[in-house]
Amino acid sequence: MKSINFKDLKSPLFIAWQINSVCNLECLHCCEEAGQSIPGEMNREEIFNFLKQVVNLHIPYVALSGGEPLLHPYFFSICEFLRKDNISLKVETNGEFIDEEKAKKIAQLRFRSVQVSLDGATAYSHERLRLRGNWNKVVSSLRILIKEGVNTEIVFVPTKFNIGEIGQLIDLAYSLGVYGVYTGKIMRIGRAAQNWEILCPSEKDYEYFFKSLNEKIAHYDGRMKVYYYPYDVLEELKYRLKFPAASLLVLPNGKVKLIGPLPFICGDLKKDTLEQVWENYKKAWQNPKVIKFAKEVIAQPRLLAEANRWREI
Amino acid sequence: MNFTEHVKIREEKFGAVIFETLREKVFVTNKSGKEILNLLNQGYSLEKIVDSLTDNYSATDRQIIKNDVVSFIEQLKENNLLISNSITQ
């Protein structure tokens, strides 16, 4: 078995789909600046036209996020459609809208996983970061999902407010019975870029973080997955300039973004077929404008603030 | 022999992609690998896979084909892509 070149693939291997922009929370570190719906979000017909193409192109894996995906009126219809064709499905949620009935439905549909954001081992730090969030509700949702046998993961974003709680959070995750805990450096995009000074942990904070994290990784080895994503947003961008991912990032309005940290749009699923968008995506990574801007972003990280001001290429 | 729950296989011009979506790991194989994957998917045993490939590649010695198939299947198992009770299954 050998290594992969994304250009050789007939279609993406993964679709990260922000199905809506609406969210009940106003997290200080939200990459998408979610809150209100954005103009032109895909309607039912456009959504199912897109989904049929996902199935026909044999795309094996889809992740739904938002906004808050459970607030989408067709959330379960979308999930049922994808799972009917045995497409792996991950849902990234703030965990505020999961009750027993929904957890049962999710369990029946056998999602790959439900990934719940829990940004603290205590209500205080979680709710300080996730404005209007309810830590108790999220922990209760985790319990319900796990009780129903759903493969459940926790995502934790370290910030000045919560970085000291990583060890406690991993212990909590284990006591709840989650499949895994995922963490990585905070991404300087969207609202996180606007709040960078108050959010970004210091080097000393990170030293403590990695020490605790590595202790917990060793402690739970073989019992629970604890995964640290090793790239920050700029390192990821540098890497992707050389090795673009075999994936597409679909926005709620059907536009397709090249990658989170760059503002470039390489297609519109309301007008273009998914196949066309995939070809555009492959070409876009060689577009001099893209390469030039990406290098500028790497040299001047403040330009990451442009990430959500979309530009067509 | 069965593929593990989160394994997705997709045919490509060069062969096939195997995507283990739980661990988010991607593997790539050539056209011969794709043929073996197809036969595994149809529930063929090791011996039946070797028979089928020997019929298709008549110029190649059966034992050489068998060694390649065993090695390929072992790789699938080592990467937790395939489960079976025994290699002769």
Side-chain angles (χ1 to χ4, degrees):
Chain A
M1 288 186 275
K2 48 184 189 161
S3 61
I4 198 168
N5 182 342
F6 84 116
K7 282 189 200 159
D8 297 335
L9 299 171
K10 63 185 177 191
S11 62
L13 291 175
F14 174 62
I15 296 216
W17 181 15
Q18 295 167 12
I19 60 173
N20 59 3
S21 188
V22 72
C23 187
N24 55 313
L25 308 185
E26 206 177 331
C27 303
L28 297 178
H29 59 327
C30 180
C31 302
E32 323 305 340
E33 301 176 59
Q36 303 298 315
S37 292
I38 58 168
E41 292 195 2
M42 284 196 281
N43 62 29
R44 188 180 172 90
E45 192 190 340
E46 288 158 346
I47 285 170
F48 284 90
N49 177 36
F50 165 53
L51 287 174
K52 281 176 201 159
Q53 295 179 73
V54 170
V55 170
N56 292 340
L57 290 178
H58 303 286
I59 294 170
Y61 182 19
V62 174
L64 303 181
S65 64
E68 169 46 45
L70 275 107
L71 289 174
H72 195 286
Y74 309 129
F75 173 76
F76 277 108
S77 310
I78 291 167
C79 296
E80 281 161 12
F81 193 97
L82 291 167
R83 290 300 298 138
K84 182 168 55 69
D85 278 281
N86 202 24
I87 292 171
S88 270
L89 181 62
K90 171 168 78 172
V91 173
E92 299 169 12
T93 171
N94 63 26
E96 303 247 339
F97 297 97
I98 290 167
D99 53 22
E100 268 190 35
E101 193 192 333
K102 284 184 183 132
K104 278 189 175 36
K105 243 176 164 173
I106 289 169
Q108 277 167 6
L109 287 169
R110 297 188 65 80
F111 287 12
R112 172 213 177 263
S113 64
V114 174
Q115 208 166 72
V116 179
S117 294
L118 188 67
D119 281 325
T122 61
Y124 177 73
S125 36
H126 176 88
E127 291 167 14
R128 200 173 160 202
L129 191 60
R130 304 184 75 83
L131 304 186
R132 295 197 289 275
N134 181 336
W135 184 88
N136 283 308
K137 172 70 187 124
V138 179
V139 173
S140 155
S141 296
L142 287 164
R143 286 202 171 97
I144 294 168
L145 286 165
I146 291 158
K147 183 174 148 248
E148 295 301 330
V150 176
N151 195 37
T152 306
E153 301 166 324
I154 287 175
V155 178
F156 172 84
V157 179
T159 64
K160 269 183 196 167
F161 302 160
N162 62 2
I163 194 162
E165 293 181 10
I166 182 67
Q168 250 181 293
L169 179 115
I170 294 170
D171 291 338
L172 171 66
Y174 183 73
S175 74
L176 290 169
V178 306
Y179 167 77
V181 177
Y182 296 78
T183 186
K185 284 186 177 174
I186 181 171
M187 293 197 284
R188 192 173 179 172
I189 312 177
R191 228 175 269 138
Q194 293 157 24
N195 296 316
W196 195 244
E197 296 309 317
I198 57 168
L199 294 177
C200 183
S202 66
E203 286 305 313
K204 206 174 167 194
D205 291 335
Y206 271 125
E207 264 174 46
Y208 173 83
F209 173 79
F210 288 119
K211 186 172 174 286
S212 302
L213 184 67
N214 289 329
E215 281 170 12
K216 295 298 175 188
I217 289 172
H219 183 69
Y220 290 110
D221 185 32
R223 293 186 287 164
M224 180 179 72
K225 185 176 177 181
V226 181
Y227 181 75
Y228 172 73
Y229 187 70
Y231 302 114
D232 70 17
V233 73
L234 294 174
E235 287 160 344
E236 161 108 24
L237 188 54
K238 273 184 217 167
Y239 181 76
R240 291 298 173 205
L241 272 173
K242 286 185 194 160
F243 306 106
S247 63
L248 295 178
L249 172 53
V250 179
L251 302 177
N253 57 5
K255 306 257 186 195
V256 179
K257 223 177 156 198
L258 203 53
I259 188 171
L262 295 181
F264 299 110
I265 298 292
C266 62
D268 182 350
L269 290 163
K270 287 183 178 179
K271 294 189 283 193
D272 311 322
T273 65
L274 188 50
E275 236 172 330
Q276 286 165 341
V277 174
W278 177 237
E279 292 308 313
N280 294 347
Y281 173 86
K282 289 183 192 174
K283 285 182 200 144
W285 280 105
Q286 288 165 335
N287 184 316
K289 263 191 210 167
V290 171
I291 296 168
K292 183 171 176 275
F293 188 76
K295 287 182 176 168
E296 283 171 13
V297 170
I298 291 163
Q300 304 169 63
R302 64 179 173 76
L303 290 173
L304 286 167
E306 303 275 315
N308 291 337
R309 291 177 206 150
W310 307 326
R311 301 182 200 174
E312 309 276 343
I313 42 164
Chain B
M1 286 179 279
N2 292 310
F3 291 106
T4 48
E5 184 184 353
H6 300 281
V7 168
K8 308 289 168 193
I9 294 163
R10 191 172 79 190
E11 295 194 2
E12 296 284 346
K13 274 187 192 160
F14 55 80
V17 175
I18 310 163
F19 193 175
E20 208 287 336
T21 62
L22 185 61
R23 288 175 294 139
E24 300 185 339
K25 288 197 170 174
V26 176
F27 305 86
V28 183
T29 186
N30 59 18
K31 287 179 181 169
S32 307
K34 180 180 83 177
E35 275 187 77
I36 301 172
L37 292 171
N38 280 339
L39 296 170
L40 284 167
N41 223 0
Q42 291 171 52
Y44 278 42
S45 66
L46 171 67
E47 290 305 323
K48 276 187 80 181
I49 291 171
V50 175
D51 288 343
S52 172
L53 295 176
T54 308
D55 289 344
N56 292 347
Y57 302 99
S58 50
T60 312
D61 182 75
R62 189 179 194 282
Q63 191 55 45
I64 293 172
I65 290 177
K66 185 168 181 176
N67 291 346
D68 286 349
V69 174
V70 168
S71 159
F72 185 75
I73 288 176
E74 282 306 316
Q75 280 188 66
L76 294 173
K77 286 184 188 169
E78 278 164 20
N79 287 293
N80 296 316
L81 303 170
L82 190 72
I83 38 172
S84 73
N85 296 329
S86 87
I87 188 77
T88 54
Q89 184 190 351

